[in-house]
Amino acid sequence: MIATPAEIKHEVKDISLAPQGKQRIEWAGREMPVLGQIRDRFAQEKPLAGIRLIACCHVTTETAHLAIALKAGGADAILIASNPLSTQDDVAASLVADYGIPVFAIKGEDNDTYHRHVEIALDHKPNIIIDDGSDVTATLVQHRQNQLSDIIGTTEETTTGIVRLRAMFNDGVLSFPAINVNDADTKHFFDNRYGTGQSTLDGVIRATNVLLAGKNVVVAGYGWCGKGVAMRARGLGANVIVTEIDPTKAIEAVMDGFRVMPMNEAAPQGDLFVTVTGNKHVIRQEHFQAMKDGAMVCNSGHFDIEIDLKTLGTMAKEVRQVRNFTQEYRLSNGKSVVVLGEGRLINLAAAEGHPSAVMDMSFANQALACEYLVKNKGKLEPGLHSIPVDVDKEIARLKLQAMGIFIDSLTPEQIEYTNSWTAGT
Ligand code: ADE
């Protein structure tokens, strides 16, 4: 029996949104067969029984399926938002009302509320933390050392979080294992590339309804996310310019057929700018100054630091809301710069995040990473660990199977050949 909302700790916008959330969660499930199989196995085997778990993720229909799978596996799980603007309030309501999962997340919550939710989650005394951006882990390490002995490990979803975990390890403060979900092939090849590619442009289009064909789209950063955004923008007919700081990635962008140049040169040419670098102030004062009148800027990197909005605010005579998630900054040079999604992840602020079909694999990795941590409790060294290759391959195999696609396997002769060094020219 599922407890009533009154019996479950929660902070959601409006519990009466639950029926719509449930309908949308069920719809997403159609595209998440791999996580569905894991959920069913978890329900039988209960590999997470007795585990207290925090999931700090974007509260979406896809995350709902992860939370449901963790609960089916026996975890005492609670969910908080990993970004103040990414919560789907109907999903949060349904998770509480229909699935009995405590959720603390409200779309548009201010930073104080966001951090209060992180503290509430840590009061849950977790054994495992699923993080997206490492905010919970960073808070634990800084302010809750007395809870470190409860921790079996963390799992991290995103590139930015992995960079932070590496920095924690180098500073000697990461005293437990952290599973690097982002670097699983079945995560970043698909989620970062095809997920970010499609959902970022979906966010831009929902926010503005602009035609991208013929526009100059400047993509800052050519990691997996940048590759996806550039590829999909080209697919919609945009002329894509890439900016990079890494020479190898810059060559890759050139050979993928994009123009590559510094941001100073791209600034006066772009109609739309998308930042996906993970770094700070990639678009700043001198760039805003040089932009065309009406240029649009948005971010699809994890944190809202890529566009220097504070400085843009000081350059503006007036800021006005022109559509949902669309603000026009009128500058004293007579031109305006249009900011989408307040510089936060545009794909989750103005659209619904990555489609379920890619999150299926990302969250299959998350669920199996939690099981792996429990099975290997006390055996893993502190620091970052990859998802085991056989787990990664199994997720790919299940996904192919669900798609009805079959592939070849090596013949005995081929296996012998690959194991032999004597056969050559
Ligand atoms: N990150 C990007 N898209 C997402 C989604 N749909 N659900 C959860 N996390 C995400």
Side-chain angles (χ1 to χ4, degrees), residues 57-64 82 86 88 132 157-158 187 191 195-196 199 345 347-348 352-356 358-359 363:
C57 299
H58 302 293
V59 178
T60 64
T61 51
E62 293 73 28
T63 299
S82 60
S86 62
Q88 298 173 4
D132 187 340
E157 173 77 0
T158 199
K187 200 278 182 180
D191 168 317
T196 309
S199 63
L345 286 156
N347 59 337
L348 283 141
E352 294 172 63
H354 302 350
S356 318
V358 292
M359 295 314 296
F363 285 162

